[in-house]
Amino acid sequence: MRNGRALVATIFLCSAVWAENVPPLETLEVHGTKRPLALETQAGQPLDPARVARDVRRLWETGWFDDIRVEASGAHLIFTVAEKPRLYLHEVHFEPVHWKRPMRIDPGATIDRARAWQLAAALRQQLLDDGYKDAKVEPELTPAGFRQVDLLLKVDAGPRYRVHEVHFTGSPGIDPQDLPHALQSTRPSWLRHPPFNDQRVEADLARLRSLYLSRGYFNARVSLGEVKFAKENAAVTISLDSGSRSGNLPAQQLCRCLLEARRESEKKGELDFSPRIRAGEAFTPVIDPGPAYTVSRIDFRGHHNFSDSTLRRALRLSEGELFDQDLLRRSLARLSGLGFFEPLTERDVAIDADPLQRNVRVTISLTERPRGRWSLSGPLGPPSFAGGLDATIAARLPGWGRGALEASTYYATVSLLGFASPLWHALPGLAALRPGPVISLARPYLPGQGWQSGFRWSPQLGWQANAATYGLAHLRRVVQPALQPNRGNVLPLAVPIEWQQSKTFPPGTLICDPPAPHLAGLRQATAAAASFLLAPGL
């Protein structure tokens, strides 16, 4: 790059000597690559040093080249580039090894220094989210064979801080007991001390400002006072100045209206839903829904042992249909429920929108979990009713076959001590079965696969017990969604407020949280009880 800049500077000096009427370029050549390059400089146009400099900068920003040179000879211009060697990832190592985390890259993927720094930044963000506010991660690429490299991520996490106290100072203006309830990311309790990081604090400051807006304190000031760190504890102080109450904002009605409007917009495939509240004599919601988009393609990455068909059958979102973001959230929840991958969020989804064709391409990045798993559970009640301890070791089979015979969706299991499900002892033939090793082949219930999943077969059990596991698995999948419908992670809606010119209030943002399901606590407890009672032993 330094050579390229030096040669561009030479062109600048030479052009100053030329006559004002610079002759047009006769030829423009590119040496060193077969990639199609979109250059601003073109043959038939006068040579413009500023244009050449922009071309050099854009080529460098692609990250494809190690060196870029530009040479001018009369009416001929030559771009000479040296491509970076294509390197492939062999393994990812962590130093120290206990900081190992799932990474969004697979062995065999292409990698360079820019990609290595992206992965290091992603790991650092995970550590920041966990409360390691001083975390540092440095990547290093080391040779591991012909065109293969190992990625070493050196981690210096520092101490981990958790929020133990939150104090409010100043003039709150409203009932101080209402303030902690507005906190979502930093509110401590005797059972939970959330990790400290700046993003969590800023998010809760925004929620406090939204609370004051909803109470009519439009001039309220909320800011971070100080944070004291002692050992691994963080004490946060928030400064408040409510000012005078200036009006009445119908926050509940506005939020209900806007959340319903967002859901309707999602159903129509409107990708750029953008609400705001116009404040004047009244508070009027204004919505810019944007155009409707359809799904052109859904791709998956990181599924080495699973077929596309297995993943697609779990989706609620379909190609060729309107891009419904709620169906995307439901699809991510169902993919996470398979148990084969790390939990998915919307961060794991890349959406490439084409404004001209009005469609989107959705790419879902998956990280497979280890093939082995184990569980240890005990009875909830007397052993005569609930059974004894149950220790299970399971290993997922390799990625062979397709459809219902896709081996990677099956587990070979060994139950070492017995059965812990309360209904097992009511099954014929099991009451007399002595606890001991039980070998079985299991396929857990898979969304979209219906009767082809949710069974376990063991040669040591009778046909009644094998049939019962199948029935319990399917009954469980009918009861659970009815008690606890899973819509995925529905995000809050941040709505800016635009004051009319006659107002002098500072800009504000009202945060609208999706309503909690009716009787949410009772339904969750009932769903957990049903899950325990109907556990099929898989």
Side-chain angles (χ1 to χ4, degrees), residues 378-390 417-426 430-431 433 435 532:
L380 186 65
S384 59
F385 167 73
L389 289 171
D390 178 73
L417 299 179
F419 305 98
S421 176
L423 298 183
W424 272 100
H425 286 267
L430 288 182
L433 185 66
F532 174 71

Side-chain angles (χ1 to χ4, degrees), residues 292-409:
Y293 286 78
T294 57
V295 181
S296 64
R297 178 71 179 169
I298 301 176
D299 294 318
F300 300 94
R301 292 179 179 174
H303 58 301
H304 306 291
N305 297 300
F306 301 92
S307 64
D308 265 26
S309 60
T310 293
L311 303 179
R312 292 183 186 280
R313 292 175 73 172
L315 298 180
R316 293 289 193 185
L317 191 67
S318 301
E319 295 175 352
E321 297 183 353
L322 291 173
F323 178 57
D324 188 333
Q325 296 181 62
D326 186 63
L327 293 182
L328 174 62
R329 290 189 290 268
R330 291 173 181 261
S331 298
L332 296 180
R334 283 163 65 97
L335 287 171
S336 299
L338 292 174
F340 303 144
F341 308 101
E342 297 294 334
L344 292 166
T345 66
E346 294 186 45
R347 290 184 179 180
D348 303 311
V349 181
I351 299 173
D352 185 13
D354 186 345
L356 297 178
Q357 299 295 326
R358 297 289 172 81
N359 58 37
V360 297
R361 183 167 183 165
V362 180
T363 303
I364 302 175
S365 297
L366 306 164
T367 301
E368 291 187 9
R369 284 179 167 172
R371 290 174 55 190
R373 68 181 186 183
W374 63 274
S375 64
L376 177 66
S377 58
L380 186 65
S384 59
F385 167 73
L389 289 171
D390 178 73
T392 300
I393 299 176
R396 199 172 65 239
L397 300 183
W400 302 328
R402 287 292 182 269
L405 299 179
E406 187 172 357
S408 58
T409 62

Side-chain angles (χ1 to χ4, degrees), residues 9-181:
T10 302
I11 295 174
F12 278 27
L13 295 174
C14 292
S15 63
V17 180
W18 290 353
E20 293 184 1
N21 297 324
V22 180
L25 285 174
E26 295 181 5
T27 61
L28 173 64
E29 300 178 14
V30 179
H31 296 167
T33 183
K34 294 183 179 180
R35 297 176 182 268
L37 303 180
L39 297 177
E40 189 177 345
T41 304
Q42 296 292 327
Q45 299 177 353
L47 178 61
D48 184 353
R51 189 178 298 163
V52 174
R54 289 195 295 269
D55 284 333
V56 171
R57 184 174 61 253
R58 292 192 188 101
L59 290 176
W60 184 255
E61 289 173 352
T62 63
W64 295 337
F65 308 111
D66 270 338
D67 191 24
I68 303 171
R69 302 189 180 195
V70 184
E71 299 176 273
S73 176
H76 305 280
L77 189 66
I78 300 175
F79 280 79
T80 303
V81 299
E83 288 197 347
K84 290 182 178 179
R86 186 178 292 271
L87 300 176
Y88 300 92
L89 179 66
H90 177 240
E91 290 181 344
V92 180
H93 301 281
F94 297 80
E95 184 183 294
V97 68
H98 63 266
W99 291 115
K100 183 176 181 180
R101 297 287 189 276
M103 302 303 296
R104 299 296 181 185
I105 191 170
D106 303 311
T110 58
I111 189 170
D112 56 18
R113 287 187 58 82
R115 179 65 173 140
W117 277 104
Q118 290 176 359
L119 294 170
L123 177 57
R124 181 176 181 272
Q125 186 60 52
Q126 292 183 43
L127 296 173
L128 291 176
D129 293 341
D130 287 341
Y132 297 93
K133 73 178 189 68
D134 300 319
K136 299 177 182 178
V137 182
E138 292 188 4
E140 182 179 316
L141 296 176
T142 58
F146 178 69
R147 289 194 175 182
Q148 288 190 320
V149 292
D150 287 340
L151 172 61
L152 175 62
L153 295 174
K154 298 179 180 180
V155 179
D156 180 10
R160 185 185 190 188
Y161 296 101
R162 291 184 175 274
V163 180
H164 278 248
E165 299 176 5
V166 177
H167 304 285
F168 300 95
T169 61
S171 304
I174 62 178
D175 189 346
Q177 295 183 353
D178 292 342
L179 298 174
H181 296 290

Side-chain angles (χ1 to χ4, degrees), residues 444-456:
Y445 181 88
L446 303 178
Q449 304 231 11
W451 63 271
Q452 297 178 342
S453 64
F455 56 82
R456 182 175 85 168

